[in-house]
Amino acid sequence: MEHGSAEDDSASTFSFTDEDHTLANTLRFSLNQDPRVTFCGYSIPHPSQPRVNIRVQTTGDPANEILKDSCQDLLMICQHARKTFEQVVQDFKNKQALEAMNMEQ
């Protein structure tokens, strides 16, 4: 990841290699939910290159800190989704096993 100049920390462009719309659009959405963000958008410079540029402009806080916060938020959301999914799968398996035992009786 690279980012823009250090002159104004409240606006930076971050370049992610080996990424595409999946991460970029998710980060864009998450960043735009943050009240400290005044603008966030992304671009893919060329379709044959696995690179995305994410532009973040803030109300004054350092853009890199807000990007880190957004990444942390996304990590927590993914962990919650995974935990919820695993619980639903386990509940389904338990229900199937209970129904199988009831059918045997």
Side-chain angles (χ1 to χ4, degrees), residues 10-98:
S10 68
S12 293
T13 299
F14 302 90
S15 185
F16 292 83
T17 56
D18 296 326
E19 294 298 343
D20 58 17
H21 291 282
T22 304
L23 177 67
N25 195 41
T26 305
L27 271 174
R28 181 202 55 81
F29 178 81
S30 178
L31 284 159
N32 279 320
Q33 301 302 306
D34 192 317
R36 301 172 295 173
V37 174
T38 58
F39 173 81
C40 179
Y42 78 90
S43 64
I44 295 182
H46 193 277
S48 69
Q49 296 176 337
R51 174 182 297 272
V52 296
N53 295 325
I54 300 177
R55 177 73 176 171
V56 180
Q57 293 173 218
T58 73
T59 57
D61 294 342
N64 65 332
E65 291 300 320
I66 293 176
L67 178 66
K68 287 178 191 177
D69 291 347
S70 186
C71 289
Q72 186 64 34
D73 290 345
L74 289 176
L75 179 63
M76 291 172 53
I77 290 167
C78 289
Q79 289 172 339
H80 174 74
R82 183 177 183 169
K83 182 179 176 184
T84 301
F85 175 76
E86 289 172 348
Q87 184 61 53
V88 168
V89 168
Q90 189 59 51
D91 291 348
F92 177 79
K93 288 180 180 179
N94 292 343
K95 181 180 175 186
Q96 294 295 325
L98 184 61

